[in-house]
Amino acid sequence: MTQVLRKQVMDKILTTIQTMTFATPINGQSSWQSVNKKLKLWADVPPDQQPAAFLVTHKEIDDYVGLGLSRRRLELMIMCYSRSDNSIGQDDLDIMMDSFETSFGQNAVDNFSTNQNTLGGLVYWCRIEGKVFKDPGDIDNQTLLFIPLVVEMP
């Protein structure tokens, strides 16, 4: 594999999120109304632009294995918002999570020899990894879903 730029990886992940569809509509929408790399607070995202997803990166790990083989890991977070004024927030979160698992989980394997999602051969692997944060919006009707995504790249 050749050197891959972080922007290439982020753009590929954003495209994947933009093309996701929900098995059941959320607020009458079958896909994200807003997808961006520039994070906004949920109060700054109008209800008609939700459900919304934001891809952010705040951490990266560079380490070496064996005789100095470099390994880069991007630790990304996908932050999702949706209004739950007329729905059960937990149901909306489950629908969102199912869509992410389809796009980035075991069902998204594209390299069957390694059993990994390589984003079409761009990276060694990309997967949901770590604790998922969920707030169903029971008190304020604003659901929040934070999904950790880890990418290992050359």
Side-chain angles (χ1 to χ4, degrees):
M1 258 185 194
T2 60
Q3 181 77 10
V4 175
L5 301 176
R6 289 162 184 84
K7 183 177 180 345
Q8 291 175 284
V9 174
M10 297 292 280
D11 288 348
K12 179 67 173 176
I13 293 170
L14 273 178
T15 299
T16 302
I17 295 169
Q18 288 168 334
T19 59
M20 289 170 54
T21 56
F22 305 130
T24 304
I26 298 172
N27 293 332
Q29 305 299 326
S30 60
S31 62
W32 300 104
Q33 297 306 292
S34 179
V35 177
N36 206 314
K37 286 193 292 190
K38 188 171 182 178
L39 180 64
K40 293 182 181 181
L41 292 174
W42 55 89
D44 295 333
V45 181
D48 67 339
Q49 292 181 16
Q50 296 186 41
F54 299 89
L55 177 64
V56 297
T57 177
H58 297 280
K59 235 163 71 167
E60 182 173 320
I61 299 171
D62 289 343
D63 64 5
Y64 300 88
V65 294
L67 298 173
L69 178 63
S70 175
R71 179 171 63 181
R72 295 183 296 163
R73 282 192 180 174
L74 302 181
E75 294 187 4
L76 310 176
M77 185 68 67
I78 305 169
M79 304 175 90
C80 308
Y81 313 145
S82 176
R83 293 296 305 168
S84 59
D85 300 291
N86 300 309
S87 63
I88 304 297
Q90 184 59 55
D91 293 346
D92 293 346
L93 293 176
D94 290 342
I95 293 165
M96 286 182 215
M97 196 65 210
D98 289 344
S99 293
F100 278 106
E101 287 174 344
T102 298
S103 296
F104 296 105
Q106 194 61 31
N107 294 334
V109 168
D110 61 9
N111 184 331
F112 296 102
S113 65
T114 62
N115 200 32
Q116 299 291 331
N117 175 1
T118 66
L119 300 176
L122 190 61
V123 298
Y124 294 133
W125 52 259
C126 172
R127 63 182 175 229
I128 297 168
E129 184 177 302
K131 291 184 180 183
V132 174
F133 172 81
K134 294 180 177 183
D135 177 349
D138 292 335
I139 296 171
D140 61 359
N141 290 323
Q142 181 64 65
T143 68
L144 306 174
L145 176 66
F146 300 167
I147 301 170
L149 196 66
V150 179
V151 178
E152 184 163 305
M153 52 192 287

